[in-house]
Coordinates of all heavy atoms in Angstrom, one line a residue:
M1 N 167.6 93.2 249.5 CA 167.9 92.6 248.2 C 166.6 92.6 247.4 O 165.6 92.1 247.9 CB 168.4 91.2 248.3 CG 168.6 90.5 247.0 SD 170.0 91.2 246.0 CE 171.4 90.5 246.9
K2 N 166.6 93.1 246.2 CA 165.4 93.0 245.3 C 165.8 92.3 244.1 O 167.0 92.4 243.6 CB 164.9 94.4 245.0 CG 164.2 95.1 246.2 CD 163.4 96.3 245.8 CE 162.6 96.8 247.0 NZ 161.7 97.9 246.6
V3 N 164.9 91.6 243.5 CA 165.2 90.8 242.3 C 164.1 91.0 241.3 O 162.9 91.1 241.6 CB 165.2 89.3 242.7 CG1 165.4 88.4 241.4 CG2 166.3 89.0 243.7
V4 N 164.5 91.1 240.0 CA 163.5 91.1 238.9 C 163.8 89.9 238.1 O 164.9 89.6 237.7 CB 163.7 92.4 238.0 CG1 162.9 92.2 236.7 CG2 163.2 93.6 238.8
D5 N 162.7 89.1 237.9 CA 162.8 87.9 237.0 C 162.6 88.3 235.6 O 161.5 88.7 235.2 CB 161.8 86.9 237.4 CG 162.2 86.1 238.7 OD1 163.3 85.7 238.8 OD2 161.3 86.0 239.5
C6 N 163.7 88.4 234.8 CA 163.5 88.7 233.4 C 162.9 87.6 232.6 O 163.1 86.4 233.0 CB 164.9 89.0 232.8 SG 164.9 89.6 231.1
P7 N 162.0 87.9 231.7 CA 161.4 86.8 230.9 C 162.4 85.8 230.2 O 162.0 84.7 229.9 CB 160.6 87.5 229.8 CG 160.3 88.9 230.4 CD 161.5 89.2 231.3
C8 N 163.6 86.2 230.1 CA 164.6 85.4 229.4 C 165.2 84.3 230.4 O 165.9 83.4 230.1 CB 165.8 86.2 228.9 SG 166.9 86.9 230.1
G9 N 164.8 84.5 231.7 CA 165.2 83.5 232.7 C 166.3 84.1 233.6 O 166.7 83.4 234.6
T10 N 166.9 85.2 233.3 CA 167.9 85.8 234.2 C 167.2 86.5 235.3 O 166.2 87.2 235.2 CB 168.7 86.8 233.3 OG1 169.4 86.2 232.3 CG2 169.7 87.5 234.2
Q11 N 167.8 86.3 236.5 CA 167.4 87.0 237.7 C 168.4 88.2 237.9 O 169.6 88.0 238.1 CB 167.4 86.2 238.9 CG 166.3 85.1 238.9 CD 166.2 84.4 240.2 OE1 167.1 84.3 241.0 NE2 165.0 83.9 240.5
V12 N 167.8 89.4 237.8 CA 168.7 90.6 238.0 C 168.4 91.1 239.4 O 167.3 91.3 239.9 CB 168.3 91.7 237.0 CG1 169.2 92.9 237.1 CG2 168.3 91.1 235.6
E13 N 169.5 91.3 240.2 CA 169.5 91.6 241.6 C 170.0 93.0 241.8 O 170.8 93.6 241.1 CB 170.3 90.6 242.4 CG 169.9 89.2 242.3 CD 170.8 88.3 243.1 OE1 172.0 88.7 243.4 OE2 170.4 87.1 243.3
G14 N 169.5 93.6 242.9 CA 170.0 94.9 243.4 C 169.8 95.1 244.8 O 168.8 94.7 245.4
E15 N 170.8 95.7 245.5 CA 170.7 95.9 246.9 C 169.7 97.0 247.2 O 169.0 97.0 248.3 CB 172.1 96.3 247.5 CG 173.1 95.1 247.6 CD 172.6 94.1 248.6 OE1 171.9 94.4 249.5 OE2 173.0 92.9 248.4
T16 N 169.6 98.0 246.3 CA 168.7 99.1 246.5 C 167.9 99.3 245.3 O 168.2 98.7 244.2 CB 169.5 100.4 246.8 OG1 170.3 100.7 245.6 CG2 170.5 100.3 248.0
D17 N 166.9 100.1 245.4 CA 166.0 100.4 244.2 C 166.9 100.9 243.1 O 166.8 100.5 241.9 CB 164.9 101.4 244.6 CG 163.8 100.8 245.4 OD1 163.9 99.6 245.8 OD2 162.9 101.5 245.7
E18 N 167.8 101.9 243.4 CA 168.6 102.5 242.4 C 169.5 101.5 241.7 O 169.7 101.5 240.5 CB 169.5 103.6 243.0 CG 168.8 104.9 243.2 CD 169.7 106.0 243.7 OE1 170.9 105.7 243.9 OE2 169.2 107.1 244.0
Q19 N 170.1 100.6 242.5 CA 171.0 99.6 241.9 C 170.2 98.6 241.1 O 170.7 98.2 240.0 CB 171.8 98.9 243.0 CG 173.0 99.5 243.5 CD 173.8 98.7 244.4 OE1 173.4 97.6 244.9 NE2 175.1 99.1 244.7
L20 N 169.1 98.2 241.6 CA 168.3 97.3 240.8 C 167.9 97.9 239.5 O 168.0 97.2 238.4 CB 167.0 96.9 241.6 CG 166.1 96.0 240.9 CD1 166.7 94.6 240.9 CD2 164.7 95.9 241.6
V21 N 167.4 99.1 239.5 CA 167.0 99.7 238.2 C 168.2 99.8 237.3 O 168.2 99.5 236.1 CB 166.5 101.1 238.5 CG1 166.4 101.9 237.2 CG2 165.1 101.0 239.1
A22 N 169.4 100.2 237.8 CA 170.6 100.3 237.0 C 171.0 98.9 236.4 O 171.4 98.8 235.2 CB 171.8 100.9 237.8
N23 N 170.9 97.9 237.3 CA 171.3 96.6 236.8 C 170.3 96.0 235.7 O 170.7 95.4 234.8 CB 171.3 95.6 238.0 CG 172.5 95.9 238.9 OD1 173.4 96.6 238.6 ND2 172.4 95.3 240.1
V24 N 169.0 96.3 235.9 CA 168.1 95.8 234.9 C 168.3 96.6 233.6 O 168.2 96.0 232.6 CB 166.6 96.0 235.5 CG1 165.6 95.8 234.4 CG2 166.4 95.1 236.6
Q25 N 168.5 97.9 233.7 CA 168.7 98.6 232.4 C 170.0 98.1 231.8 O 170.0 98.0 230.5 CB 168.8 100.1 232.7 CG 167.5 100.8 233.3 CD 166.4 100.9 232.3 OE1 166.4 100.3 231.2 NE2 165.4 101.7 232.7
Q26 N 171.0 97.8 232.5 CA 172.2 97.2 232.0 C 172.0 95.9 231.3 O 172.4 95.6 230.2 CB 173.3 97.1 233.1 CG 174.6 96.7 232.5 CD 175.3 97.7 231.6 OE1 175.4 98.9 232.0 NE2 175.7 97.3 230.4
H27 N 171.2 95.0 232.0 CA 170.9 93.7 231.4 C 170.1 93.9 230.1 O 170.4 93.2 229.2 CB 170.0 92.9 232.5 CG 169.5 91.7 231.9 ND1 170.3 90.6 231.5 CD2 168.2 91.3 231.6 CE1 169.5 89.6 231.0 NE2 168.2 90.0 231.0
I28 N 169.1 94.8 230.1 CA 168.4 95.0 228.9 C 169.3 95.5 227.7 O 169.2 94.9 226.6 CB 167.2 96.0 229.1 CG1 166.2 95.4 230.1 CG2 166.6 96.5 227.8 CD1 165.1 96.4 230.5
S29 N 170.2 96.4 228.0 CA 171.0 96.9 226.9 C 172.0 95.8 226.5 O 172.4 95.8 225.3 CB 171.8 98.2 227.4 OG 172.7 97.9 228.4
D30 N 172.4 94.9 227.4 CA 173.4 93.9 227.1 C 172.7 92.7 226.3 O 173.2 92.2 225.3 CB 174.0 93.3 228.3 CG 175.0 94.2 228.9 OD1 175.5 95.1 228.3 OD2 175.4 93.9 230.1
D31 N 171.5 92.3 226.8 CA 170.9 91.1 226.3 C 169.7 91.3 225.5 O 169.2 90.4 224.7 CB 170.5 90.1 227.5 CG 171.7 89.5 228.1 OD1 172.9 90.0 227.8 OD2 171.6 88.5 228.8
H32 N 169.0 92.5 225.6 CA 167.8 92.7 224.9 C 167.8 94.1 224.3 O 167.0 95.0 224.6 CB 166.6 92.6 225.8 CG 166.6 91.4 226.7 ND1 166.3 90.1 226.2 CD2 166.8 91.2 228.0 CE1 166.4 89.2 227.1 NE2 166.7 89.9 228.3
P33 N 168.8 94.4 223.4 CA 169.0 95.8 223.0 C 167.8 96.3 222.2 O 167.6 97.5 222.2 CB 170.2 95.7 222.0 CG 170.4 94.2 221.7 CD 169.8 93.5 222.9
E34 N 166.9 95.4 221.7 CA 165.7 95.9 221.0 C 164.7 96.4 222.0 O 163.7 97.0 221.6 CB 165.1 94.7 220.2 CG 164.4 93.7 221.0 CD 165.3 92.7 221.7 OE1 166.5 92.8 221.6 OE2 164.8 91.8 222.4
M35 N 164.9 96.1 223.3 CA 163.9 96.6 224.3 C 164.4 97.8 225.1 O 163.8 98.2 226.1 CB 163.6 95.4 225.3 CG 162.8 94.3 224.7 SD 162.7 92.9 225.7 CE 161.9 93.6 227.2
V36 N 165.6 98.3 224.7 CA 166.1 99.5 225.5 C 165.0 100.6 225.4 O 164.5 100.9 224.3 CB 167.4 100.0 224.9 CG1 167.8 101.4 225.4 CG2 168.5 99.0 225.2
G37 N 164.7 101.2 226.5 CA 163.8 102.3 226.5 C 162.3 101.9 226.7 O 161.4 102.7 226.8
T38 N 162.1 100.5 226.7 CA 160.7 100.0 226.8 C 160.2 100.2 228.2 O 159.0 100.4 228.4 CB 160.7 98.5 226.4 OG1 161.2 98.4 225.1 CG2 159.3 98.0 226.5
Y39 N 161.1 100.0 229.2 CA 160.7 100.0 230.6 C 161.2 101.2 231.3 O 162.3 101.6 231.3 CB 161.2 98.8 231.4 CG 160.6 97.5 230.9 CD1 161.4 96.6 230.2 CD2 159.3 97.2 231.1 CE1 160.8 95.4 229.7 CE2 158.7 96.0 230.7 CZ 159.5 95.1 230.0 OH 158.9 93.9 229.6
S40 N 160.2 101.9 232.0 CA 160.6 103.0 232.8 C 161.1 102.5 234.1 O 160.9 101.4 234.5 CB 159.4 104.0 233.1 OG 158.5 103.3 233.9
N41 N 161.8 103.4 234.9 CA 162.3 102.9 236.2 C 161.2 102.5 237.1 O 161.3 101.6 237.9 CB 163.1 104.1 236.9 CG 164.4 104.4 236.1 OD1 164.8 103.7 235.2 ND2 165.1 105.4 236.6
E42 N 160.0 103.2 237.0 CA 158.9 102.9 237.8 C 158.3 101.5 237.5 O 157.9 100.7 238.3 CB 157.8 103.9 237.6 CG 158.0 105.2 238.3 CD 159.0 106.1 237.5 OE1 159.3 105.7 236.3 OE2 159.6 107.0 238.0
Q43 N 158.3 101.1 236.2 CA 157.8 99.8 235.8 C 158.8 98.7 236.3 O 158.3 97.6 236.7 CB 157.7 99.8 234.2 CG 156.5 100.5 233.7 CD 156.5 100.6 232.2 OE1 157.5 100.9 231.6 NE2 155.4 100.2 231.6
I44 N 160.1 99.0 236.2 CA 161.0 98.0 236.7 C 160.8 97.8 238.2 O 160.8 96.6 238.7 CB 162.5 98.5 236.5 CG1 162.8 98.4 235.0 CG2 163.5 97.6 237.2 CD1 164.0 99.1 234.6
L45 N 160.6 98.8 239.0 CA 160.4 98.6 240.4 C 159.1 97.9 240.7 O 158.9 97.2 241.7 CB 160.4 100.0 241.1 CG 161.8 100.6 241.1 CD1 161.7 102.0 241.8 CD2 162.8 99.8 241.9
E46 N 158.1 98.1 239.8 CA 156.8 97.3 240.0 C 157.0 95.9 239.8 O 156.3 95.0 240.4 CB 155.7 97.9 239.0 CG 155.1 99.2 239.5 CD 154.2 99.8 238.4 OE1 153.8 99.0 237.5 OE2 153.7 100.9 238.6
M47 N 158.0 95.5 238.9 CA 158.2 94.1 238.7 C 159.1 93.4 239.7 O 159.3 92.2 239.8 CB 158.9 93.9 237.3 CG 158.1 94.3 236.2 SD 158.9 93.9 234.6 CE 160.2 95.0 234.6
A48 N 159.7 94.3 240.6 CA 160.7 93.8 241.6 C 160.0 93.0 242.7 O 158.9 93.3 243.1 CB 161.5 94.9 242.1
Q49 N 160.8 92.0 243.2 CA 160.3 91.2 244.3 C 161.4 91.3 245.4 O 162.6 91.3 245.1 CB 160.1 89.8 244.0 CG 159.1 89.6 242.9 CD 159.0 88.1 242.5 OE1 159.9 87.4 242.6 NE2 157.8 87.7 242.0
D50 N 160.9 91.4 246.7 CA 161.9 91.4 247.8 C 162.3 90.0 248.0 O 161.5 89.1 248.1 CB 161.2 92.0 249.0 CG 161.1 93.5 248.9 OD1 162.1 94.1 248.7 OD2 160.0 94.0 249.1
R51 N 163.6 89.8 248.3 CA 164.2 88.5 248.6 C 164.9 88.6 249.9 O 165.5 89.6 250.2 CB 165.2 88.0 247.5 CG 164.5 87.7 246.2 CD 163.8 86.4 246.2 NE 162.9 86.3 245.0 CZ 163.3 85.8 243.8 NH1 164.5 85.4 243.6 NH2 162.4 85.8 242.9
Ligands
ZN101 ZN1 166.7 89.1 230.1

């Protein structure tokens, strides 16, 4: 399980790197549409923490 703590306070989880990236991109498009395209997949994985 990997988790990214979004600055808005939401914790976005994913079982795999691929799922985590997909979930974070989905969260950004749902809650932060102005930030779509801001983060690359590599940047998202750098922010991820193992839980
Ligand atoms: Zn957020």
Side-chain angles (χ1 to χ4, degrees):
M1 176 73 75
K2 290 191 167 188
V3 177
V4 169
D5 286 313
C6 185
C8 73
T10 297
Q11 290 190 332
V12 184
E13 301 177 343
E15 288 292 336
T16 64
D17 285 4
E18 278 184 4
Q19 274 189 347
L20 180 70
V21 167
N23 290 346
V24 170
Q25 297 286 16
Q26 185 66 51
H27 171 69
I28 291 173
S29 68
D30 286 346
D31 286 17
H32 313 289
E34 76 284 358
M35 289 171 62
V36 168
T38 301
Y39 293 110
S40 69
N41 291 356
E42 288 77 15
Q43 285 174 308
I44 290 169
L45 291 175
E46 283 176 9
M47 294 188 293
Q49 298 175 334
D50 286 306
R51 292 280 165 89

